[in-house]
Amino acid sequence: IYINIILHEGDQYHIKNYSVNGSKVLSQIELKKLLTFKLGDIAARNKIIAYKQKIEQTLGDKGYAHANVVIKILNIDNKNKTIELKFIITDGVKIYVRNIAFKDNYKTNDKVLRRKLIQHESSLYSASAIQHSKQQLLNLPYIVDVKTQHSPVTNTKNQEDIIYNIKEYPATNLTAGIGYGDVDGMILSGSINQKNFLGTGNKASINIKRSNNLTQYSLDYYNPYYTQSGIGREISLTYSHYNTDKLDVSNYATNSIGFNINYNIPISRTLSWRAGYGYQNILLTIGSEPSSITRNFVNQYGTHFYQFLTNISLAYDNIDRIILPTKGFISSAGVSVTVPISNDNSLKYYKFNYNGNYYLPIYKKTWIFNTKYHLAYGNGYNNFNDNYTFFENYYSGGIGTVRG
């Protein structure tokens, strides 16, 4: 069987003129800013519908939740291939949001979700604020989907309740790993990561790594709303023992213990400052056959170091969601500097870091292109000038980077 599909596209028409009637809310100046097409433009259906949606969105941001725009095609000129458009606007009634409720959030406390809202109760309805509130909820690492429901209030004409139907994601991740390498020997790792600790929205994690050359323990706790204004605070405790005896790098070992306290200070929905401080205590041990760089460093600076750490960075994040993002960009640029406690027993160096993570949808939302990059530079200062701390060097290769 053969099926022939004959398609006639028809003639292409252009817009000869247009008019707008009905709105008592939007001025002619506002309407001209929204209807940006020019006379003579192609009468493309998708663009005309987009103008209709822009008008309804603008009225929705002014409280007219049920504004409606009807487009009529008038004076079709088949000879000159032109049409005239008439936008008929019905403003509707100005709506106020009475209550905002959450549904199906079995694990997460209501106040954790409510503090992410841009649309507030007992205030004028705003279509953009409601949509941005939904986006803010999707940016939580324990929320996988959000649907918005509007419920008119009985016996009123200008009030509605907004209901956010929440679909939660398991907030606890328990991971364990085992492996073997010629250099590392037996490799063991494990972590417990709770992204929504006891429903508070706080994050807590414990991480352990063990191999022939590395032993590392870390404990982290992050409160995204340490202050009512939305400043977050993270506290980290770390211990590590690193031994290069079986690596083709050098012959030394370090024992390090310390803590860090970092703050996240939002500037806007996509920008935030991050700043913090910490303390580090390092004991350096060299082997029987150290490299000349290692030996000279120890002879000049010693083997026991303790210093404060400071850092500041600017972060940008506009991805569409935390879990399986489909579009957007995450980046941060910052500097970290050691602050000496003792002139003789403190390391003095600084680091510049830039990180990026880009998501681009290739086909709908099923095929996503993702690329990551990391740029860094470090050097010493004061009596460490041009003599960077060798065990803070950067290396390429390893798990999570290029082969090397």
Side-chain angles (χ1 to χ4, degrees):
I1 183 172
Y2 294 92
I3 299 176
N4 293 324
I5 300 175
I6 301 173
L7 177 64
H8 295 284
E9 294 181 346
D11 296 319
Q12 190 178 69
Y13 282 75
H14 296 259
I15 299 172
K16 180 180 180 181
N17 201 358
Y18 74 92
S19 61
V20 183
N21 295 330
S23 180
K24 297 180 180 179
V25 178
L26 298 177
S27 66
Q28 289 299 316
I29 295 176
E30 289 177 296
L31 288 169
K32 285 182 179 180
K33 290 181 179 179
L34 293 173
L35 301 173
T36 56
F37 59 79
K38 299 177 181 178
L39 300 183
D41 283 353
I42 297 172
R45 178 181 176 85
N46 60 332
K47 290 185 178 180
I48 294 173
I49 293 175
Y51 289 128
K52 162 186 163 72
Q53 294 171 343
K54 283 172 67 176
I55 296 173
E56 293 174 345
Q57 177 74 29
T58 302
L59 286 168
D61 291 343
K62 293 178 179 289
Y64 296 89
H66 304 293
N68 185 44
V69 178
V70 176
I71 303 172
K72 290 189 176 182
I73 300 176
L74 307 174
N75 301 327
I76 301 174
D77 187 342
N78 292 322
K79 180 180 179 180
N80 296 311
K81 310 303 178 187
T82 61
I83 61 171
E84 294 182 10
L85 298 176
K86 185 175 184 179
F87 294 84
I88 303 173
I89 303 173
T90 304
D91 296 327
V93 179
K94 184 179 286 189
I95 301 296
Y96 291 84
V97 176
R98 186 186 67 167
N99 294 324
I100 298 176
F102 300 96
K103 190 176 180 182
D104 297 334
N105 53 314
Y106 301 111
K107 300 176 182 178
T108 309
N109 298 334
D110 266 28
K111 70 175 184 179
V112 174
L113 303 174
R114 196 170 296 276
R115 66 193 182 190
K116 304 299 292 184
L117 298 181
I118 299 172
Q119 173 71 60
H120 301 293
E121 295 179 330
S122 302
S123 64
L124 191 65
Y125 177 102
S126 171
S128 293
I130 291 172
Q131 181 59 34
H132 288 154
S133 297
K134 176 182 177 180
Q135 185 63 55
Q136 290 289 91
L137 293 171
L138 284 171
N139 284 340
L140 294 172
Y142 38 87
I143 303 298
V144 69
D145 193 24
V146 177
K147 287 183 171 56
T148 308
Q149 179 182 343
H150 301 253
S151 177
V153 177
T154 307
N155 298 325
T156 67
K157 294 182 179 180
N158 66 340
Q159 293 185 40
E160 285 188 359
D161 292 337
I162 305 297
I163 302 170
Y164 289 98
N165 295 283
I166 304 296
K167 184 177 180 181
E168 294 177 309
Y169 187 81
T172 302
N173 294 330
L174 177 62
T175 61
I178 184 171
Y180 180 82
D182 292 337
V183 176
D184 297 320
M186 187 68 70
I187 305 170
L188 302 174
S189 64
S191 67
I192 301 175
N193 189 355
Q194 173 58 263
K195 298 179 181 179
N196 187 14
F197 187 66
L198 300 178
T200 62
N202 299 347
K203 301 177 184 178
S205 65
I206 299 173
N207 297 276
I208 300 173
K209 294 180 181 179
R210 291 290 303 270
S211 68
N212 281 351
N213 54 61
L214 176 65
T215 300
Q216 190 175 70
Y217 307 100
S218 66
L219 177 64
D220 299 278
Y221 187 79
Y222 177 62
N223 181 354
Y225 278 80
Y226 176 67
T227 67
Q228 292 293 328
S229 60
I231 295 177
R233 184 181 72 170
E234 180 183 27
I235 300 175
S236 303
L237 303 175
T238 59
Y239 166 80
S240 69
H241 171 75
Y242 184 60
N243 190 340
T244 65
D245 186 41
K246 294 187 177 182
L247 300 177
D248 294 330
V249 177
S250 186
N251 189 4
Y252 71 89
T254 59
N255 285 283
S256 174
I257 188 170
F259 71 87
N260 286 284
I261 298 177
N262 294 300
Y263 296 89
N264 185 70
I265 307 167
I267 304 172
S268 66
R269 288 188 297 108
T270 56
L271 274 176
S272 63
W273 284 107
R274 295 174 182 174
Y277 60 91
Y279 171 79
Q280 194 177 45
N281 193 312
I282 301 173
L283 181 63
L284 173 64
T285 305
I286 61 174
S288 57
E289 298 180 357
S291 67
S292 59
I293 294 176
T294 303
R295 185 186 302 108
N296 292 338
F297 187 91
V298 170
N299 291 338
Q300 186 172 356
Y301 302 113
T303 58
H304 188 198
F305 310 99
Y306 43 91
Q307 56 274 328
F308 289 117
L309 304 172
T310 61
N311 68 85
I312 187 169
S313 63
L314 182 64
Y316 177 80
D317 182 351
N318 75 335
I319 59 173
D320 59 344
R321 61 203 306 154
I322 288 290
I323 301 172
L324 300 177
T326 61
K327 64 179 180 178
F329 182 56
I330 304 174
S331 67
S332 65
V335 59
S336 58
V337 183
T338 60
V339 179
I341 298 175
S342 167
N343 192 53
D344 297 329
N345 294 95
S346 293
L347 299 173
K348 303 179 184 70
Y349 63 84
Y350 58 89
K351 294 180 178 181
F352 293 100
N353 290 278
Y354 178 73
N355 298 285
N357 197 347
Y358 181 60
Y359 297 90
L360 176 67
I362 298 175
Y363 177 72
K364 296 182 179 180
K365 291 188 177 181
T366 56
W367 291 87
I368 310 298
F369 172 78
N370 174 228
T371 182
K372 300 179 182 179
Y373 45 87
H374 174 66
L375 302 175
Y377 173 80
N379 205 346
Y381 70 90
N382 204 328
N383 59 320
F384 282 76
N385 192 30
D386 296 326
N387 194 7
Y388 185 63
T389 304
F390 69 90
F391 50 85
E392 291 290 339
N393 281 337
Y394 296 101
Y395 297 94
S396 65
I399 297 175
T401 64
V402 297
R403 291 175 178 259

